[in-house]
Amino acid sequence: MIFMPVILWSDALVFLLIGAVISAVLHVRKREHLMLPWRRLAHSSVAMVSTLVLSLFLVIGLLDTLHYRVALSQNSSGETVYSSEVLSVFDKLVTPLRTRTEKTYSAPFALHLYAKESMTDAQGNVVRDYPRLQYGGAHLADESQSSLDVMKRIANGGVVGFLLGCLLAWLLSRRVTRAPVLVSLVMLVTLVGASVELATAYHVLGTDKVGQDVLYLSLKSIRTGLIIGTLTTLVTLPLALFLGVAAGYFRGWVDDVIQYVYTVLSSIPSVLLIAAAVLMMQVTIDTHPDWFETSAARADLRLVALCLILGLTSWTGLCRLLRGETLKLREMEYIQAAQAFGVSSMRILSRHIMPNVMHIILIALVMDFSALVLAEAVLSYVGVGVDPSMISFGTMINGARLEMGREPMVWWSLAAAFVFMLVLVLAANLFADAVRDAFDPRLNRTESKA
């Protein structure tokens, strides 16, 4: 298969973020004092289990970030023509979930559509009944065997997953000695194995209005949530770090101006500010369709713009924290000694202030991740979030709004988005609590005295 790699704006930013993380890891590993908090974090079972869950989400998100376009044919001039549809490596791996679309709604593990339609029976009479699904459970000749078949597939996939999980746990047991982590790894791989086996024959989470598999939609939504939660930090961090440290260290009119800016910005309702910025950005995109070669590029630019807007409106909290910490550090004896010896302000900021506020930055960014994921869901629900053509938790919830009011009620789209988002946010919050316990020097001093 001939394909052309595609790098969207969000893909490039993700690769940039990965490079920054790798550089930070190499920097930390060379310095023992920086490794100590991470070692404390590694001794926390809650942190390691939540890291395990987040790692699964990250793998799915990274696979969904590697995009390409498939070659269709060659034109008269000999140039290769590529499809306008942008796919990802994840789409390729889950092709059955992506391509097996039904006519409309179907419940989880169902064999028939969720609504009655006019059908012609064997005698030629027109009757109202539930049509059989084209793909879900199509391998069953006897519908009464569906429950037994589901149990068999759960057992087969679970056994394979359990054995693979035990193998991974054995390989990691030399480096990871925490029993809860190894048990969680086995349970997670077992769950994935059973889900994969079921998804090959059934719509595990049902289908939506246009017949798309809800499990596929839920998995595709992970990348959008991760993009919102991580790339927004690329905008938030420089603003908050530079302005917060400058306000706390230089004080005077610099502090007054920066305080005035973030006080005014905080007084504006964030939802209204974000909505106004998104609508203006959308008008610009709509009036320049020639900027985009594919619809995916158009939707991706709106996603990146949303990250930019969220970053420009959410830096004030971290800026306040850094200003207060810098004001305290400025009065420390070693800072005053450096000033007395004529050390430049830039050197004091880079060598003494910045390293001593990094724990606040790390804790704040990890704890803000879950808030940003929830913010995307809320903004997409009210129509000012990601592009409607982009799959996300917010668009799934927005689409389920009308489904919950029909009869019979279609509940599984909302439930799937809720469960996936709950697991992601819960794992992020637990990890954030563990990071705070490991990096906050006040907590560490309290534990040492105890």
Side-chain angles (χ1 to χ4, degrees):
M1 180 183 67
I2 301 176
F3 63 90
M4 178 180 66
V6 175
I7 299 180
L8 303 174
W9 279 102
S10 62
D11 299 340
L13 292 174
V14 167
F15 298 148
L16 176 64
L17 187 61
I18 293 174
V21 170
I22 293 175
S23 300
V25 170
L26 295 177
H27 176 77
V28 169
R29 292 191 64 180
K30 296 178 181 178
R31 292 160 175 81
E32 183 62 26
H33 67 283
L34 297 179
M35 284 293 296
L36 290 177
W38 293 105
R39 289 198 177 98
R40 285 196 295 266
L41 187 66
H43 284 86
S44 172
S45 298
V46 174
M48 291 297 97
V49 172
S50 58
T51 301
L52 185 63
V53 176
L54 289 174
S55 298
L56 178 61
F57 282 94
L58 288 173
V59 169
I60 295 174
L62 290 176
L63 290 176
D64 205 16
T65 300
L66 304 174
H67 292 101
Y68 65 92
R69 293 168 62 186
V70 179
L72 297 178
S73 60
Q74 291 186 344
N75 56 21
S76 57
S77 60
E79 296 179 353
T80 304
V81 178
Y82 293 93
S83 171
S84 60
E85 183 182 16
V86 178
L87 301 176
S88 67
V89 174
F90 177 76
D91 291 326
K92 181 64 177 179
L93 294 176
V94 296
T95 297
L97 288 180
R98 181 175 62 87
T99 57
R100 294 186 311 170
T101 58
E102 306 292 348
K103 189 175 182 180
T104 183
Y105 298 112
S106 65
F109 297 104
L111 303 181
H112 298 82
L113 291 178
Y114 200 57
K116 289 185 177 181
E117 293 183 358
S118 298
M119 304 170 56
T120 303
D121 60 12
Q123 289 75 30
N125 300 320
V126 177
V127 296
R128 296 281 296 177
D129 202 354
Y130 298 98
R132 182 73 182 267
L133 295 180
Q134 184 178 358
Y135 299 103
H139 64 288
L140 294 175
D142 186 2
E143 297 181 13
S144 62
Q145 299 296 316
S146 61
S147 299
L148 180 60
D149 183 68
V150 168
M151 297 302 296
K152 287 182 178 179
R153 289 181 178 274
I154 291 176
N156 294 336
V159 168
V160 174
F162 178 77
L163 295 177
L164 181 59
C166 291
L167 177 61
L168 292 175
W170 178 75
L171 294 175
L172 295 174
S173 59
R174 297 180 181 179
R175 299 182 62 88
V176 181
T177 58
R178 296 274 175 173
V181 179
L182 299 178
V183 172
S184 299
L185 174 63
V186 174
M187 293 175 60
L188 187 61
V189 178
T190 302
L191 177 62
V192 171
S195 301
V196 169
E197 181 66 20
L198 286 171
T200 58
Y202 297 94
H203 298 293
V204 178
L205 298 178
T207 57
D208 64 359
K209 185 177 182 179
V210 295
Q212 284 187 298
D213 194 289
V214 174
L215 177 59
Y216 171 73
L217 298 178
S218 302
L219 294 174
K220 288 285 288 185
S221 299
I222 292 174
R223 177 183 181 269
T224 306
L226 293 177
I227 291 289
I228 293 290
T230 55
L231 293 191
T232 304
T233 62
L234 293 179
V235 181
T236 302
L237 183 56
L239 283 173
L241 180 59
F242 175 76
L243 296 178
V245 170
Y249 182 79
F250 293 107
R251 298 188 295 186
W253 67 269
V254 175
D255 187 19
D256 293 338
V257 170
I258 293 175
Q259 282 194 77
Y260 179 79
V261 171
Y262 71 60
T263 301
V264 171
L265 190 61
S266 299
S267 65
I268 303 174
S270 58
V271 175
L272 295 181
L273 185 61
I274 294 171
V278 168
L279 292 176
M280 288 189 294
M281 174 268 303
Q282 186 61 40
V283 171
T284 304
I285 291 177
D286 292 340
T287 54
H288 297 85
D290 54 304
W291 289 358
F292 313 103
E293 190 174 356
T294 62
S295 59
R298 179 179 181 274
D300 185 75
L301 181 60
R302 176 163 173 171
L303 174 64
V304 173
L306 180 61
C307 293
L308 179 64
I309 294 167
L310 286 173
L312 291 174
T313 56
S314 60
W315 59 269
T316 56
L318 179 57
C319 183
R320 282 195 181 97
L321 291 175
L322 293 178
R323 174 186 173 272
E325 186 69 14
T326 304
L327 284 172
K328 183 181 69 174
L329 292 173
R330 193 181 188 279
E331 305 302 323
M332 301 296 289
E333 294 179 354
Y334 63 91
I335 300 292
Q336 294 183 352
Q339 292 173 340
F341 279 106
V343 180
S344 65
S345 297
M346 293 304 299
R347 187 168 181 83
I348 292 175
L349 290 174
S350 60
R351 294 295 299 273
H352 300 296
I353 301 294
M354 296 288 189
N356 285 288
V357 299
M358 290 307 296
H359 69 281
I360 294 179
I361 295 174
L362 185 59
I363 293 170
L365 293 182
V366 173
M367 297 187 71
D368 287 345
F369 172 83
S370 57
L372 292 169
V373 173
L374 295 175
E376 181 277 322
V378 174
L379 293 173
S380 297
Y381 176 76
V382 298
V384 293
V386 299
D387 192 87
S389 63
M390 177 170 285
I391 304 172
S392 72
F393 294 123
T395 54
M396 288 183 65
I397 295 173
N398 188 33
R401 175 177 54 182
L402 299 178
E403 297 172 355
M404 296 294 290
R406 73 187 299 273
E407 181 61 36
M409 182 176 64
V410 178
W411 53 268
W412 46 87
S413 294
L414 180 63
F418 172 79
V419 170
F420 273 79
M421 193 161 54
L422 172 66
V423 174
L424 175 59
V425 172
L426 180 60
N429 285 341
L430 292 175
F431 183 74
D433 290 340
V435 168
R436 182 196 61 197
D437 295 341
F439 282 82
D440 194 335
R442 292 171 298 181
L443 294 177
N444 294 329
R445 284 197 297 266
T446 303
E447 291 177 359
S448 300
K449 292 178 181 179

